[in-house]
Amino acid sequence: MPVCYITLSENSPKLNDQQMKQVRKIIAKGLDSNSRKLDETHIAMRQQYGKRECMLGDIEIDIFSQLYLRRLFSRDKRANFISKHISSYLGCCCATWINMGFVGYSRVATSGDTFYSDSDNPFIRGIQKMRGISTKQKI
């Protein structure tokens, strides 16, 4: 069962029960795979609070989940899916990390800018760009 720590800044809305359920649904959909089917009841959520000046997003989500190969190779794309949908749903910047021994990361800003954990390796970075999972800033 994935465990998620959601950190809310003073810039994020205080989440009611319905919003928490929807966030859990988004996370479950982002982690779901043929190896492991998930719904919101599979997601454990821990809520905490932080200062926006010490955060990368208005909301940050740290996901700790079991390593499945399909998740491993798509972790940045999955983190982006979760960030994008939560950002859109709540109207604020969301940063997401998926921890499976290897960290996948993506953050979507309200401006539409998309950030990934781009590789320092030029070959891997090229593959990421071809797969559409490299940092993109709107001009």
Side-chain angles (χ1 to χ4, degrees):
M1 172 184 271
V3 177
C4 303
Y5 292 86
I6 183 167
T7 306
L8 305 169
S9 75
E10 66 276 9
N11 294 347
S12 70
K14 301 300 177 218
L15 302 183
N16 62 36
D17 290 343
Q18 182 59 35
Q19 288 170 317
M20 284 296 288
K21 183 177 182 178
Q22 185 60 31
V23 167
R24 289 172 68 207
K25 282 183 178 182
I26 292 168
I27 292 168
K29 188 172 182 181
L31 294 177
D32 193 33
S33 72
N34 290 336
S35 300
R36 180 70 169 101
K37 292 292 186 188
L38 299 174
D39 64 32
E40 74 274 8
T41 64
H42 294 104
I43 307 300
M45 186 72 70
R46 310 288 185 264
Q47 208 173 140
Q48 56 193 14
Y49 299 92
K51 294 260 186 210
R52 179 60 177 97
E53 66 191 35
C54 300
M55 299 169 62
L56 293 177
D58 300 323
I59 293 176
E60 293 183 355
I61 300 175
D62 296 287
I63 302 168
F64 298 88
S65 66
Q66 187 174 359
L67 176 62
Y68 288 103
L69 285 180
R70 290 174 195 233
R71 282 186 191 158
L72 173 64
F73 295 115
S74 61
R75 64 191 181 274
D76 286 347
K77 200 171 229 174
R78 290 168 184 273
N80 178 255
F81 173 90
I82 292 165
S83 289
K84 184 166 62 172
H85 283 82
I86 290 174
S87 179
S88 175
Y89 176 64
L90 297 174
C92 57
C93 179
C94 179
T96 301
W97 289 263
I98 300 175
N99 297 286
M100 300 174 286
F102 296 96
V103 177
Y105 166 77
S106 182
R107 175 171 54 96
V108 175
T110 53
S111 64
D113 293 344
T114 303
F115 304 90
Y116 291 88
S117 54
D118 293 329
S119 175
D120 290 333
N121 180 309
F123 177 73
I124 293 174
R125 192 170 47 250
I127 291 172
Q128 287 175 314
K129 283 185 179 191
M130 288 188 312
R131 295 184 64 215
I133 56 170
S134 59
T135 298
K136 296 179 193 88
Q137 292 183 300
K138 293 193 178 221
I139 299 173

